[in-house]
Amino acid sequence: MSATSAKSAPSVFILTMGCAKNEVDSASMARSLKAAGYRMADDAAEADAVIVNTCSFIQSATEESIEAIFEAASLPRMEEGSAALIVAGCMPARYGDDLSEELTEARAFVPCSREDDIVAVVEGLVGPAGPVGAAAPEEAEPARTFAYVKISDGCDRFCSYCTIPFIRGRYRSFPYEDIRAEVAREVAAGTREIVLIAQDTGRWGDDLEGGRDLAWLVDTLADEFPNTWLRVMYLQPEGVTDRLLSVMAARENVCSYLDIPLQHVDDGILRAMNRTGNADEFRTLIERIEAAVPGVTLRTTLIAGFPGETEEQFEELLDFVSEGLFHYIGVFPYSREEGTRAYKLPGQLDEEEKAERAQILRDAADAACAPRIAERIGGAARVLVEGAEEDGQRFGRAQCQAPDVDGVTYVSHGEPGDIVDTVIADTLLYEMEGE
């Protein structure tokens, strides 16, 4: 296809809502559209088609997605009918045909399971990009320091508060060959860190032949791409195997970092959540991890105000947080989601009480985690430089800091994509300063 015809090809803008897993899906749709000859627009107002890749995990995410849909629908080209609005992702997967009755502004709905059909959907709305078999000229991928790579989709846990199995379906591992190809593509484009994600990363390989597991996957990738950091996120307690810890301890390019969502520590609440474990089991797990991987960084997430949570159960959770076992803790008030089993549980707390408990828990987490971060003062760190502020101050992330959630480290030198050595001179809550 010539440069002139490429410019005349219809353009598509993708707006991504929600989590990193949606970002991966949006990137996949964008690659398919570009391969088919469509141009990716930088401005939604100029696009021939706007895809809003929605999130619907909890009610607040659904509301944000709806707001984004309405904003896109109000663009001049949408109102005059010369552009098409497509709603993709979690909302169509969760609400199905009901959504088309409520959101008449959209011309098409593409649930998660049909995102591979995005080219056909766009072609049906705005026409083909060009001659059959023609593709837009190859555009260099923008340089980035890190990238998320999904290793599976769906979930079989059916936690009583969670909508993911109804949105994403049952758990299914992606083949190693597909994961490896995606990692290789990112590394070739200059990406320095790969973050392996899924709804339940620890289960990778359970449903595949060959006896491969997450530890094998991480070890194999770390061996082939020794100059690339690898990080594992969203690992349920049962997925923390001795084999995985051994790989983490042995491989310098595997971040000594575990994100283990506990959600609560009271065994009664955990049973109501359709989860397992208790405070003592979690303490034992942490001891095992720290013995196997000295200097490991630990993150978790917790839910405050689950139905039936008594003052005593909340105090147990609060005491556990105050022990300072984790470096980072994400806290969320319970969100009552229609269609989940927890929606009908007795003992629902009002929104004000849930918000108050969540804030108390956040404050306790900050008080407990800040000293753990300060323990790094005087220690050496390798920092992946990500950018610079307006005054020229460079910043990046050490291996102990996951993208988007754990703060940054300020350094004196380096360009984006460089990995520089520094000594931690000071900390301010979750931020670190190198010298």
Side-chain angles (χ1 to χ4, degrees), residues 227-241:
N227 297 317
T228 304
W229 289 1
L230 291 169
R231 187 185 305 274
V232 178
M233 299 288 285
Y234 317 129
L235 187 70
Q236 299 294 334
E238 300 88 342
V240 185
T241 64

Side-chain angles (χ1 to χ4, degrees), residues 155-162 165-166 170 200 236-238 261-264 266-277 282 303 306-307 340-342 345:
C155 186
D156 287 344
R157 290 185 178 272
F158 288 94
C159 297
S160 65
Y161 54 83
C162 186
F166 309 108
R170 302 304 293 266
D200 189 353
Q236 299 294 334
E238 300 88 342
L262 300 182
Q263 311 305 6
H264 213 282
D266 177 81
D267 53 359
I269 292 294
L270 286 166
R271 282 197 302 272
M273 289 179 167
N274 196 33
R275 296 177 64 85
T276 59
F282 296 150
I303 296 174
F306 190 79
T340 63
R341 280 179 285 173
L345 286 178

